[in-house]
Amino acid sequence: MQAPMVLLLIGCLLAPSGAYILARCVVAKRLYDGGLDYFEGYSLANWVCLAYFESKFNPSAVYENSQGGYTGFGLFQFRDSEWCDHGRNLCSVSCSALLKPDLKATIQCAKKIVQGKQGMGAWPTWSRHCQLSDTLDRWLDGCKL
């Protein structure tokens, strides 16, 4: 009788708490439909690469960076100190809106950021993992856009 209860408890502890991961091609399609392909000259593959390295395609990801003193929200880990309503709110959006799987607020905020002087360089992760990659096209392999 105790073994099933222990297994049930372990199962509850291991179950995701409302978080989910979007498939790579689903992310690509939503970003494409949102107008990010070649927005400000950056290919869709750059955006999909960034989404992977920032959140592993988890639109509801929230990461507290205690060293940097900020919290990252959503697919692209927007810093609350700058981009959403916990800080300067340069995207004019609530941080919770950046966690929605439809990615509408995420795409609008990303467009605003990339139009700045740093472009996609505003994300150090993009600079490290995507910018000079000679295999960017693999991020779109098999995706029907």
Side-chain angles (χ1 to χ4, degrees):
M1 186 73 163
Q2 287 181 334
M5 291 300 283
V6 170
L7 291 175
L8 178 64
L9 179 60
I10 290 172
C12 289
L13 293 173
L14 294 177
S17 58
Y20 58 91
I21 309 301
L22 294 175
R24 175 180 52 85
C25 289
V26 169
V27 170
K29 178 74 170 132
R30 289 186 187 169
L31 298 179
Y32 178 83
D33 289 347
L36 282 179
D37 191 24
Y38 287 100
F39 185 81
E40 293 294 316
Y42 296 99
S43 71
L44 182 62
N46 277 284
W47 291 103
V48 176
C49 178
L50 175 65
Y52 175 78
F53 285 106
E54 284 292 345
S55 68
K56 304 293 188 268
F57 303 136
N58 181 353
S60 61
V62 177
Y63 173 70
E64 189 172 331
N65 186 319
S66 55
Q67 286 181 320
Y70 65 87
T71 301
F73 285 84
L75 191 71
F76 295 130
Q77 289 295 284
F78 298 108
R79 293 179 180 200
D80 66 340
S81 59
E82 295 291 317
W83 301 106
C84 56
D85 66 353
H86 294 173
R88 294 176 54 202
N89 202 6
L90 296 173
C91 281
S92 302
V93 67
S94 71
C95 295
S96 62
L98 297 170
L99 303 177
K100 294 183 179 178
D102 66 12
L103 304 181
K104 288 180 180 160
T106 294
I107 291 167
Q108 290 309 308
C109 189
K111 286 179 175 180
K112 183 168 276 199
I113 293 170
V114 82
Q115 287 175 314
K117 65 181 177 179
Q118 291 181 299
M120 286 191 88
W123 285 275
T125 302
W126 175 80
S127 299
R128 277 193 307 277
H129 299 288
C130 308
Q131 181 179 17
L132 301 175
S133 173
D134 57 357
T135 59
L136 268 181
D137 290 341
R138 72 183 171 99
W139 291 104
L140 302 178
D141 281 353
C143 297
K144 291 179 179 21
L145 305 171

